[in-house]
Amino acid sequence: MSRIVVIGDVIDDILVTPHGPIRRDTDTESDIVYAQGGSAANVAAWLGHLGAPVDFYGRVGSGDAARHTATLAAHGVRALIEEADDRPTGRIVILLDGDSRTFLNMGGANRDLPVDVLTDERLMGAAAVHITGHSMLEPWRLARVPDLLGRTRRLGIPVVLDPSSAGFLRDVGVDNFLAAVAGVDILLPNRDEAEALTGLDDPEVAARALTAVAPTVIVTCGADGSYVAEDPARMQSRVRVSHVPAEPAHVVDPTGAGDAFAAGFHAAVRRGLSPVDAAAAASTIAARAVTLSGARPPAP
């Protein structure tokens, strides 16, 4: 069975849910949960949970590879995680307030992971490659992405790109980002990322505009569903945009919902579903994810 190759961030999450408004310069009683995360690693975990063969490539600090490898392996992921001697494992503090989240991020060893760790040998026979925007945080890595896309194109492997962070897009420069990722097959931004990339606050219009970058674009909008824009002939006058409703769910923790959606989309496309039907299937997985605490599926 053809595997899906995922490359990107693996993180130690610290999830903080204050019991009330945060009081400056004194204590605020909170629930604090430690978990393993990272957008790319979360996608891999959900893919394994859904039964898809998946390889994950990432980088952590010295001494942490075995811990993260074992956790992903429990979900059926073959994790090939390098260790960095001079950087710690990436960490993120996530402040949860209902549906709102604030991220305090330290990239750590993730910032040294080159995309060219995906050699032709490691790519051979893959059904798809999934890249997160966090994988391209540094300009030197962004410059290597066109080479990776050229090699996947020669090998006939579609690439799905999740921009991952509207703040990151603004930091690295939208024009720089779009120039580097031109040629991806599927772009998977959320509403904020689509607005950052286009300057358009209407997700349907933004999805249509982004087909200039990728022939298939899915803009996820949380409880408002998603917009699937398709331009297979690469003729902007013939873009088809479909709205896919979200699956109703009781939200416990929205962290990782987009990663679960991405995994559900990959798994559905791999079964032969169209992008619109795959987005509908992915909405079901995302709805399941928000009922859980943390960004990954339950441990087996």
Side-chain angles (χ1 to χ4, degrees), residues 31 105 136 139 167 180 222 243 278:
D31 292 328
N105 185 42
M136 299 177 288
H243 178 252

Side-chain angles (χ1 to χ4, degrees), residues 1-293:
M1 298 173 67
S2 297
R3 70 203 186 285
I4 296 169
V5 174
V6 181
I7 182 172
D9 48 318
V10 55
I11 293 280
D12 285 329
D13 287 348
I14 304 169
L15 294 91
V16 181
T17 306
H19 291 181
I22 296 176
R23 300 179 295 188
R24 296 186 63 182
D25 301 322
T26 189
D27 298 323
T28 300
E29 190 69 19
S30 305
D31 292 328
I32 301 177
V33 176
Y34 293 88
Q36 292 181 11
S39 180
N42 295 339
V43 171
W46 277 102
L47 277 167
H49 178 74
L50 295 172
V54 54
D55 290 350
F56 171 76
Y57 292 88
R59 180 171 286 188
V60 296
S62 180
D64 283 347
R67 173 168 60 90
H68 281 280
T69 298
T71 304
L72 288 168
H75 292 292
V77 178
R78 185 175 75 154
L80 298 102
I81 299 178
E82 301 176 352
E83 291 190 354
D85 294 330
D86 56 346
R87 288 187 189 262
T89 298
R91 301 187 187 103
I92 187 167
V93 177
I94 305 171
L95 300 178
L96 300 170
D97 181 13
D99 290 343
S100 176
R101 297 165 295 163
T102 300
F103 301 95
L104 306 175
N105 185 42
M106 181 191 76
N110 292 298
R111 303 184 76 144
D112 289 334
L113 177 68
V115 294
D116 46 16
V117 72
L118 296 183
T119 62
D120 285 1
E121 182 180 7
R122 287 173 166 176
L123 290 169
M124 199 70 69
V129 172
H130 183 92
I131 307 175
T132 58
H134 290 298
S135 311
M136 299 177 288
L137 188 59
E138 306 296 333
W140 67 269
R141 287 192 295 181
L142 198 64
R144 298 185 183 185
V145 171
D147 173 70
L148 173 63
L149 296 178
R151 290 190 291 114
T152 56
R153 195 175 303 114
R154 287 195 299 272
L155 294 169
I157 304 169
V159 175
V160 177
L161 174 65
D162 179 353
S164 304
S165 168
F168 153 68
L169 293 172
R170 297 186 180 99
D171 290 343
V172 77
V174 169
D175 290 342
N176 294 331
F177 182 86
L178 291 176
V181 306
V184 300
D185 299 276
I186 299 174
L187 193 63
L188 195 60
N190 64 23
R191 185 201 302 258
D192 291 341
E193 293 152 9
E195 182 175 354
L197 289 170
T198 63
L200 302 167
D201 61 3
D202 183 325
E204 180 177 359
V205 178
R208 182 182 296 274
L210 286 170
T211 56
V213 180
T216 301
V217 178
I218 301 95
V219 178
T220 57
C221 303
D224 293 329
S226 59
Y227 289 91
V228 180
E230 300 175 84
D231 186 16
R234 306 312 301 269
M235 297 176 63
Q236 286 280 286
S237 62
R238 298 187 181 181
V239 178
R240 301 189 304 270
V241 182
S242 306
H243 178 252
V244 178
E247 190 82 14
H250 172 68
V251 178
V252 171
D253 178 3
T255 307
D259 302 328
F261 183 98
F265 183 84
H266 271 291
V269 168
R270 189 172 169 278
R271 297 197 307 269
L273 273 65
S274 69
V276 172
D277 290 340
S283 295
T284 301
I285 307 303
R288 187 191 311 170
V290 300
T291 66
L292 307 171
S293 179

